[in-house]
Amino acid sequence: MAKSMTQGRPFQLIFQFALPLLAGNLLQQTYNMIDASIVGQSLGTKALAGVGASSSVQFLVLGFCIGICNGFSIPISQKFGAGDYEGMRKYIFHALFLTAVAAVIITTVTAVLCPQILYLLSTPDDIFDRAYRYLLILFLGIPFTLLYNLLSGILRAVGDSRTPFLFLAFSTVLNVILDLVCILVLKWDVAGAAIATIAAQAVSGILCLFYIVKKVQILHVSKKHCRVKKDTVFTMLTMGLPMGLQFSITAIGSMVMQSANNGLGSIYVSGFTAGMRIKQFTICPFDAIATAVSVFCGQNLGAGKVDRIKKGIKEGIAMGVLYGAAAGLVMILFGRPLSLLFVHASETAVLDASAKYLRCMGYFFWVLGILNICRMSTQGLGFSGRAVFSGVMEMIARIFVSVVFVRILGFGFQAICFADQTAWVAASCYIAPTCYHCVKKISQKYGYCSEPSRFTQKV
């Protein structure tokens, strides 16, 4: 059900909107952890390394897909907040059109270049075949990834974060069942894990589509909206491409870091993979809060309520930092026991590597509360291009640590353990003052007028 975030207490609205997002993210990461656990415990650490050897490039490609879908939803949320439903439907059509084009291009390019990508990542020979099978199947399923993320993004843009969560919950349970069947019963090895993931993603996307068609009349696009217009395409691309590039640029640094780590051997690849799974799980609340604040900013920008935007960003950052401090403490104290979810107790070297990675990360985990909320808020206000540079800062920092400290100076895995934190701090030093400047610019340009039409301009 569509819901406006232009009235009521910002903290309560953000918190309530973030809860289904958080639950959905946690379910998704729970599946990822179960997936890694099934692979690691039943197929061994070599198979786990095969799945994890390409995690950075998965983040690059799938992150780009998620980013452009989130970007396409920004003007939709602004039009919804302004009450311009005809304009909103035109944006929805263009989002569907551009996403279909992206699905064809991205799937074709990534599938063809899959072997070259793994070579660039310095994937060890003993896990190359498994890594290739796993990654290729994920690439072939990109259209389903785009379908779910676009439709769920549109629903969230109009204030409905509950429905995408319910469909994601169903598909997550299905994912686990398919994992067990494909890996343990059908003996499809790591390919079974990839097939299960794509099948479940397809189900969640199709369910979102049926729900919108049957239940959400406000989002229905008629024939008069289905005309491709250059100015609207340009507006959508200026929102979607920067957000997609932000994920991709960030992932380039992660690819260089993973390539450096892959060169250290399969023990560190397995330890890094286990630690990454736990990190991805604990990052979920940051993503949920940041997405909620972004939608809040977008709707209130459309409604012309700058004072609420300021308050929402401040409260979102406070929530993120407090969570980050608590989660970081857990990672410091319990990193090794958590790693046992993916690694057998007899693999002591792998466990030591994973625990060290998590412990070092825990000291700086709270920084993500500043980085994610400020970045998503800047995007929600329409300054996607400026937010991209925070991804550039992350990329530069990761590459610097990976090249200089891992390879040239020879600090090895010790440097890998501090690469992410260096990137977070560098990006936060840029995006925090940038977010403040963007809000100030909006205040100076438009004041506190409540006239919606003045806030639907491109900023």
Side-chain angles (χ1 to χ4, degrees):
M1 180 182 293
K3 180 179 180 181
S4 173
M5 301 178 75
T6 59
Q7 300 287 338
R9 294 177 56 193
F11 178 86
Q12 183 177 356
L13 289 168
I14 291 171
F15 185 75
Q16 290 177 345
F17 188 89
L19 280 180
L21 289 175
L22 173 59
N25 289 342
L26 289 175
L27 274 173
Q28 186 65 45
Q29 293 305 323
T30 297
Y31 159 71
N32 289 338
M33 292 176 72
I34 293 173
D35 175 55
S37 180
I38 293 172
V39 170
Q41 298 288 355
S42 63
L43 301 177
T45 56
K46 295 284 187 181
L48 180 63
V51 169
S54 61
S55 60
S56 60
V57 77
Q58 292 172 41
F59 177 55
L60 186 153
V61 176
L62 301 182
F64 180 80
C65 295
I66 295 170
I68 60 173
C69 291
N70 288 340
F72 291 159
S73 70
I74 290 174
I76 294 172
S77 70
Q78 292 176 354
K79 290 293 185 181
F80 177 76
D84 182 6
Y85 301 134
E86 286 300 300
M88 178 187 72
R89 294 184 183 106
K90 292 177 183 178
Y91 278 126
I92 291 174
F93 163 72
H94 282 79
L96 293 168
F97 170 75
L98 291 173
T99 302
V101 173
V104 174
I105 296 174
I106 298 172
T107 303
T108 302
V109 172
T110 54
V112 170
L113 297 179
C114 188
Q116 287 74 19
I117 291 171
L118 289 172
Y119 283 123
L120 286 174
L121 290 173
S122 301
T123 306
D125 292 338
D126 57 347
I127 61 174
F128 187 92
D129 288 342
R130 279 172 155 167
Y132 173 73
R133 291 196 298 271
Y134 182 81
L135 187 60
L136 179 62
I137 294 170
L138 290 184
F139 284 162
L140 293 175
I142 282 174
F144 299 118
T145 301
L146 284 166
L147 176 66
Y148 170 73
N149 282 284
L150 177 65
L151 297 181
S152 62
I154 291 173
L155 286 170
R156 288 193 293 268
V158 297
D160 184 3
S161 60
R162 178 174 175 272
T163 302
F165 157 68
L166 294 176
F167 294 147
L168 184 61
F170 174 78
S171 68
T172 300
V173 174
L174 176 63
N175 210 334
V176 173
I177 295 172
L178 290 176
D179 237 352
L180 294 171
V181 172
C182 292
I183 295 175
L184 301 181
V185 178
L186 298 178
K187 307 294 183 182
W188 286 350
D189 202 73
V190 296
I195 292 171
T197 298
I198 294 305
Q201 190 87 73
V203 169
S204 59
I206 293 170
L207 288 174
C208 278
L209 179 61
F210 281 149
Y211 176 79
I212 290 174
V213 171
K214 297 292 184 181
K215 299 290 185 180
V216 193
Q217 185 71 32
I218 196 174
L219 298 179
H220 287 188
V221 176
S222 63
K223 187 176 181 180
K224 65 180 179 180
H225 303 123
C226 298
R227 296 177 182 176
V228 179
K229 296 183 178 180
K230 291 183 179 179
D231 57 339
T232 308
V233 169
F234 178 77
T235 299
M236 298 295 284
L237 291 178
T238 56
M239 292 291 185
L241 286 180
M243 289 189 70
L245 289 173
Q246 174 196 298
F247 280 95
S248 297
I249 290 170
T250 302
I252 290 172
S254 297
M255 287 177 66
V256 175
M257 180 178 75
Q258 181 150 38
S259 177
N261 186 65
N262 287 351
L264 300 176
S266 58
I267 288 177
Y268 289 112
V269 175
S270 298
F272 181 78
T273 300
M276 281 288 290
R277 296 292 188 182
I278 297 168
K279 184 187 85 169
Q280 290 167 353
F281 188 88
T282 53
I283 280 177
C284 287
F286 291 126
D287 294 337
I289 297 169
T291 302
V293 175
S294 176
V295 174
F296 179 88
C297 289
Q299 288 196 14
N300 281 280
L301 176 63
K305 298 184 177 181
V306 183
D307 54 336
R308 288 176 59 80
I309 292 173
K310 292 179 178 179
K311 189 172 182 180
I313 293 174
K314 290 179 181 178
E315 294 183 356
I317 291 174
M319 293 167 62
V321 170
L322 286 174
Y323 163 74
L329 184 62
V330 172
M331 294 166 76
I332 293 169
L333 298 177
F334 303 104
R336 188 182 181 87
L338 289 172
S339 300
L340 287 169
L341 291 170
F342 313 106
V343 182
H344 195 274
S346 62
E347 301 282 353
T348 56
V350 176
L351 285 172
D352 289 342
S354 179
K356 182 176 184 179
Y357 176 76
L358 292 171
R359 183 171 62 253
C360 295
M361 185 179 300
Y363 295 116
F364 294 88
F365 207 57
W366 59 272
V367 177
L368 278 174
I370 300 172
L371 174 58
N372 283 18
I373 281 74
C374 287
R375 179 154 56 199
M376 290 294 288
S377 298
T378 303
Q379 292 169 344
L381 294 173
F383 295 91
S384 296
R386 300 191 183 192
V388 169
F389 195 70
S390 65
V392 175
M393 297 292 289
E394 284 194 70
M395 178 188 70
I396 293 172
R398 283 194 178 92
I399 291 176
F400 180 79
V401 173
S402 300
V403 173
V404 176
F405 286 92
V406 178
R407 290 178 171 168
I408 297 177
L409 298 180
F411 283 93
F413 193 69
Q414 177 73 24
I416 292 291
C417 291
F418 284 97
D420 280 331
Q421 299 89 309
T422 305
W424 298 340
V425 172
S428 295
C429 288
Y430 161 77
I431 196 62
T434 297
C435 182
Y436 172 80
H437 173 74
C438 291
V439 175
K440 186 177 180 180
K441 183 178 180 180
I442 291 173
S443 300
Q444 292 173 343
K445 189 172 183 179
Y446 299 107
Y448 289 87
C449 175
S450 60
E451 183 183 350
S453 62
R454 295 177 65 186
F455 279 82
T456 59
Q457 303 177 42
K458 182 185 173 185
V459 294

